[in-house]
Amino acid sequence: MKLCTLVNKDCSKAAVLFNSKKRILEYISELAHQQLPDVSKHVILDALMTREKLGSTGIGKGIAIPHGRLQGIEQILAMVLVSEQPIAFEAIDKQPVDIFVAFIVPEGNNEEHLKTLAAIAEKLQDKSFCKQLRHAKTDQELYAVIQGDDNG
């Protein structure tokens, strides 16, 4: 599944400014709640934090893919956030993170979930794409980068 088909313009946030892992996850939860109004932001945050307790979703090179599973949702919700300043996120390479591609996925659809994560992780290995994400100064510019990339 391609990132450009998963992210809507309201879920693309450039130049966000937070100073901790917990605060960026809280913001992701708030953003997800706006898209999933029947699910409280606390339930969403709990799903994200539960996954982080298993091990950081920071995959290295300044990138994290926080995600959580929820019952009662039908489709994957994806969000892309780029932090103005990198945040300590306990990534595997011990480097701070500035690109966050977050997912809220339906409980139980493990195969689709894993395929989506693998495809997005592979796309995020593209240095040129990540550079474009990092250079987007507005939400609109960030969304245009995501939508302009029909290869991923």
Side-chain angles (χ1 to χ4, degrees):
M1 191 166 288
K2 295 180 177 185
L3 189 59
C4 64
T5 63
L6 293 173
V7 178
N8 71 45
K9 65 179 174 58
D10 295 327
C11 292
S12 306
K13 300 294 179 185
V16 298
L17 192 54
F18 297 105
N19 60 5
S20 71
K21 180 177 186 174
K22 184 171 191 267
R23 186 62 194 113
I24 192 82
L25 292 175
E26 288 171 346
Y27 182 70
I28 289 167
S29 300
E30 292 165 15
L31 196 57
H33 171 67
Q34 291 171 13
Q35 301 298 309
L36 303 166
D38 294 338
V39 183
S40 87
K41 59 186 172 191
H42 302 293
V43 168
I44 297 167
L45 179 61
D46 187 52
L48 293 170
M49 295 297 282
T50 297
R51 171 56 190 85
E52 287 298 321
K53 287 177 185 169
L54 298 175
S56 178
T57 56
I59 63 171
K61 299 180 182 171
I63 300 165
I65 308 177
H67 53 282
R69 299 175 190 271
L70 289 179
Q71 291 182 339
I73 65 170
E74 301 293 317
Q75 296 179 16
I76 294 173
L77 172 64
M79 297 154 277
V80 177
L81 298 88
V82 179
S83 180
E84 196 170 296
Q85 298 292 321
I87 298 168
F89 205 81
E90 302 162 0
I92 59 171
D93 64 358
K94 310 270 190 263
Q95 297 301 307
V97 172
D98 62 348
I99 295 175
F100 299 86
V101 180
F103 293 97
I104 305 300
V105 299
E107 183 76 56
N109 196 344
N110 294 343
E111 189 173 326
E112 182 181 358
H113 171 73
L114 292 174
K115 284 181 182 176
T116 300
L117 283 176
I120 299 312
E122 183 177 333
K123 181 62 201 164
L124 292 169
Q125 296 302 312
D126 180 340
K127 291 179 184 176
S128 174
F129 180 66
C130 290
K131 185 176 181 180
Q132 290 177 49
L133 293 176
R134 288 183 170 110
H135 281 72
K137 298 298 179 209
T138 66
D139 297 350
Q140 294 81 6
E141 286 178 20
L142 182 61
Y143 184 66
V145 169
I146 295 163
Q147 292 306 304
D149 186 66
D150 56 10
N151 295 323

